[in-house]
Amino acid sequence: MTAKKVYIETVGCQMNVLDSELVIGALRKQGYDLTDTAADADVLLFNTCSVREHAEEKTYSALGRVVPHKKHNPGVVVGVIGCMAQKDQHAILDRAPYVDMVVGTGQLARIPELVEEVKRTRTPQFAVSLGRADGGRHEVEASFESYDPTRDPSMRPTPFQAFVRIQIGCDKFCTYCVVPSTRGPEQSRQPDHILAEVRQLVEQGCKEVTLLGQTVNSYVYEHGDGRRTRLSDLMAAMHDTPGLDRIKFVTNYPKDMTDDLLDAVRELPKVVKYLHVPAQSGCDEVLKRMKRNYTVASYREMLARCREKVPGVSVTSDFIVGFCGETEESFQKTMDLVRESVFKNSYIFKYSERTGTKAADRYPDDIDEEVKKRRNQDLLAVQNANSLADHQAQIGKTTSVIVERASRHGKRETGPVKQLTGHTMADHIVVFDGPDRLIGEIVPVRIDDASPFTLYGEVLTGETVGVSSEAKPRAARPRRIGLNTV
Ligand code: 5AD
Ligand code: SF4
């Protein structure tokens, strides 16, 4: 008998990438093989994002593409899982009536069972969590299960890097955002479980973990006996795990950027010197309507504190342009903030109204699409100039790089030396020449050139930079790894 096959498409954030890994891990245990060809699959899953309308439309297009396969093979199971499933529930079947299974973010553990149920009954199966107002806090929390079962190394972007969820949900309720309802109440995972998962990942060959939470720096676990574990404590506890080389964490909430965390980032050598701290806007009135709970002045103060406490730290941000009532003057304040902040990068989004959010209820989506587009481009131009400045400031430095893969844009595809790519300790992407065998290693690279998005460098051997459990300091002169030297 040939193995049953599962196909999965994932859109959205790193949390979704992790969820897809876990779902595939669970289905493999049921005897499924992963296929990257939809037409070969018995089960087709779409792990979805609701943050912007565009992401939802992408999923509906993808669903449309599987209609012929489903028509010829009515026995296949088509599942919509994740944020859209939680948000739209039965309404998904209005646009895609051939969908067999709708499973929200808090119910993913049930997928293997629900697939069998669809096959047995040939009726659509729904598994969603409670809405935020559908019960008491504990009841709603319990309906969003933290889903972190067996890990599946083959699903990771690389075998030596993995995401680890430390927190689920969000309690910030920014007025534009669906996440507090699609991912439920904020809950911090138990430190012991996280530390055990990190040890397991390292045993599987993982060198870098990225700790995930919607507001990861709000992480706090109350042990019930008066003890509390904060993100800084958690990272200190995992720091000595033998074989673990790097610890990253995303995404931060500006107001929760405490000094103990910044001290930990500075003091713990394995913690990447990189902070993603979305500002969203540079105008106080807009921040107030967004209900971000901070002012531009306090964001600036926080940014200065990050840079003072963690010398050389690189900071990135998110911005929404064209939010309800954003005047030209408000937008210019955002331009000012981006201009002066010199972020390594900013992710810029056009406001997309989401039903069910406070902003959709309270404020009209009154900025023209053309204006949103223009503001997006203007802000991007300012950011790109700063990204280039940030990247150029790296030229001449030698930094440790985790080598991830052959560069997708690499010119050299054959022969022993390829263009490789990886990330520095300040999360810059760097491209350099080197042999395949460096993939998965942490190596010193001297930065020679920069574009707004990429650094270019040269691998040095004979010296050790940063922390690597493998690397041993050597005194030899640095030499270039090239065709003739390796
Ligand atoms: N429209 C546009 N962008 C949004 N984001 C969240 N909700 C919306 C929305 N309704 C952006 C924010 C957030 C990032 C993940 O997505 O900038 O930080
Ligand atoms: Fe959404 Fe705000 Fe929570 Fe981030 S902090 S997930 S933007 S509600």
Side-chain angles (χ1 to χ4, degrees), residues 51-52 176-177 278 280 318-320 349-352 354:
V51 164
R52 284 168 291 276
Y176 51 80
C177 185
Q280 310 297 1
D318 291 350
F319 288 92
I320 297 176
F349 307 103
K350 290 178 287 172
Y351 173 59
S352 167
R354 311 286 51 220

Side-chain angles (χ1 to χ4, degrees), residues 137 141 166-168 171-172 186-191 194 212-213 215-224 226-234 256 258 260:
R137 169 101 195 174
E141 274 183 1
I166 67 165
Q167 179 195 55
I168 64 170
D171 277 349
K172 303 297 187 197
E186 180 186 319
Q187 302 180 67
S188 291
R189 269 181 87 201
Q190 202 171 314
I194 298 168
L212 296 185
T215 57
V216 73
N217 57 338
S218 325
Y219 174 89
V220 59
Y221 187 81
E222 307 278 354
H223 292 262
R227 285 180 306 135
R228 324 168 74 214
T229 301
R230 303 162 298 180
L231 176 57
S232 56
D233 305 319
L234 182 70
D256 295 336
T258 50
D260 63 285

